[in-house]
């Protein structure tokens, strides 16, 4: 009931209607080429036949497949591509790295920045992520900025303050115009790949707090325009309730995005 009332309030706000609805699939380090192509073809076909909403669908394949996958989504106007990472540097002697300019040069529109696996296994800090955000934006690639707390932080600390601080330190130096190009993905670490999904109430609490935090710096109108996705064990079963929450504008999906039927059902839930 509370959710319903909030949604009605928001739907009377024209800015709410302007927010992009997004379902993104993060394939992580999975699939060989044939499998990646098959998954994409299946998704495009299913979306064409079954998806009756205006959701933007963003596929985040391993970088090595971006140009190939691009050909398979060419005629699917609501599909777009994201890289899973990019360098904070513009170019130069950084063996193995991929730059935002390279992504721009092959027409990739989005890049995941600050996924918790990058923070955890590759020691990416809020300060480094601020640099990556800057570099991506300077080449016209929109960051999908990931944030979220660990289970320990949720249990022992001010977990909302912790996530707000991730935004402050990596995004709040941006101009209003720059921030509007950023998508935020709240992904509690304890829900990623664990089968534990945050409840719609838990996710909504954080999304509303993050939107209020953005509003405190950039004003309510800007905050209302920013898409905030939820990620962490999203499935076709959990998606409808999560996506119905007023401040949840779609999802960043890992495991369930590797299966075409499951991912299509998540998109339909949008
Ligand atoms: P998951 O991954 O859906 O498998 O939990 C989400 C993510 O890491 O983006």
């Amino acid at each position: 009931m509370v959710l319903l009332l909030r949604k009605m309030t928001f739907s009377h706000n024209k800015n709410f209607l302007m927010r992009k609805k997004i379902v993104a699939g993060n394939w992580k380090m999975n699939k060989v080429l044939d499998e990646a192509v098959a998954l994409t073809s299946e998704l495009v076909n299913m979306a064409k036949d079954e998806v009756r909403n205006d959701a933007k669908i963003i596929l985040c394949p391993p970088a090595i497949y971006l140009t190939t996958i691009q050909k398979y989504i060419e005629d699917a106007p609501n599909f777009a591509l994201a890289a899973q990472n990019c360098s904070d540097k513009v170019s130069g002697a950084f063996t193995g790295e991929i730059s935002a300019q390279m992504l721009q040069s092959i027409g990739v529109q989005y890049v995941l920045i600050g996924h918790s696996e990058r923070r955890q296994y590759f020691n990416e800090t809020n300060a480094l992520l601020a640099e990556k955000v800057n570099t991506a934006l300077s080449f016209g690639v929109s960051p999908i900025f990931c944030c979220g707390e660990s289970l320990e932080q949720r249990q022992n600390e001010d977990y909302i303050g912790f996530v707000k601080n991730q935004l402050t330190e990596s995004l709040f130096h941006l101009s209003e115009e720059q921030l509007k190009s950023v998508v935020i993905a709240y992904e509690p670490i304890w829900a990623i790949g664990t089968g534990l999904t945050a409840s719609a109430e838990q996710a909504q609490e954080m999304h509303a707090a993050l939107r209020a935090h953005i509003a405190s710096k950039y004003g309510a109108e800007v905050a209302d325009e920013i898409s905030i996705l939820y990620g962490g064990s999203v499935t076709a079963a959990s998606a409808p309730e999560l996506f119905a929450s007023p401040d949840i504008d779609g999802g960043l999906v890992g495991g369930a995005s590797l299966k075409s039927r499951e991912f299509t059902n998540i998109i339909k839930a949008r």
Side-chain angles (χ1 to χ4, degrees):
M1 188 58 177
V2 175
L3 278 183
L4 199 70
L5 284 175
R6 285 215 206 117
K7 186 133 188 129
M8 283 170 59
T9 318
F10 270 76
S11 63
H12 285 252
N13 178 338
K14 66 179 167 48
N15 293 316
F16 172 73
L17 298 172
M18 284 165 60
R19 285 210 290 270
K20 271 200 211 100
K21 314 296 182 213
I22 297 171
V23 180
N26 176 13
W27 298 359
K28 308 191 182 186
M29 196 173 74
N30 292 296
K31 305 275 180 202
V32 294
L33 179 62
D34 289 352
E35 296 167 339
V37 166
L39 174 60
T40 308
S41 306
E42 286 165 22
L43 286 172
V44 168
N45 279 328
M46 286 183 188
K48 186 167 59 148
D49 295 339
E50 301 177 30
V51 175
R52 295 278 174 269
N53 63 44
D54 59 354
K56 179 162 216 109
I57 302 157
I58 303 179
L59 304 182
C60 320
I64 192 169
Y65 305 143
L66 284 167
T67 43
T68 304
I69 301 299
Q70 196 169 40
K71 297 195 189 94
Y72 287 82
I73 63 166
E74 242 164 29
D75 299 325
N78 51 337
F79 278 70
L81 282 180
Q84 295 177 12
N85 180 35
C86 73
S87 175
D88 58 309
K89 307 289 193 304
V90 172
S91 66
F94 302 102
T95 301
E97 289 287 87
I98 290 171
S99 73
Q101 189 174 23
M102 293 172 189
L103 298 177
Q104 179 197 43
S105 75
I106 60 166
V108 170
Q109 291 169 291
Y110 296 89
V111 58
L112 299 183
I113 301 238
H115 189 281
S116 68
E117 287 147 21
R118 302 283 326 163
R119 293 175 187 262
Q120 188 180 348
Y121 305 130
F122 301 93
N123 302 320
E124 295 191 348
T125 61
N126 290 342
L128 175 80
L129 298 174
E131 292 301 323
K132 290 193 176 203
V133 165
N134 290 344
T135 312
L137 286 171
S138 71
F139 290 103
V141 182
S142 293
I144 301 176
F145 179 78
C146 305
C147 56
E149 80 289 356
S150 68
L151 187 57
E152 210 183 0
Q153 281 153 347
R154 180 160 272 262
Q155 285 167 344
N156 300 327
E157 289 167 34
D158 169 17
Y159 58 91
I160 291 183
F162 176 83
V163 182
K164 277 162 58 173
N165 188 53
Q166 291 181 318
L167 265 55
T168 306
E169 293 193 357
S170 298
L171 297 180
F172 277 16
H173 60 284
L174 298 176
S175 70
E176 196 178 300
E177 277 318 301
Q178 287 175 315
L179 189 80
K180 285 183 189 172
S181 299
V182 176
V183 174
I184 292 173
Y186 166 59
E187 299 203 301
I189 297 168
W190 48 272
I192 295 179
T194 59
L196 285 176
T197 314
S199 68
E201 287 72 23
Q202 285 173 318
Q204 168 59 25
E205 177 196 39
M206 182 64 83
H207 283 230
L210 296 181
R211 201 178 302 287
H213 188 48
I214 295 168
S216 73
K217 161 95 177 155
Y218 292 93
E221 223 167 279
V222 174
D224 272 348
E225 281 188 44
I226 308 286
S227 296
I228 308 181
L229 315 183
Y230 169 78
S233 298
V234 174
T235 61
S238 61
E241 201 190 348
L242 284 163
F243 295 177
S245 304
D247 286 290
I248 300 180
D249 307 311
L252 176 55
V253 185
S257 74
L258 298 171
K259 294 171 247 159
S260 53
R261 166 55 50 204
E262 181 78 4
F263 191 57
T264 302
N265 287 339
I266 293 172
I267 300 164
K268 288 200 289 195
R270 220 297 305 128

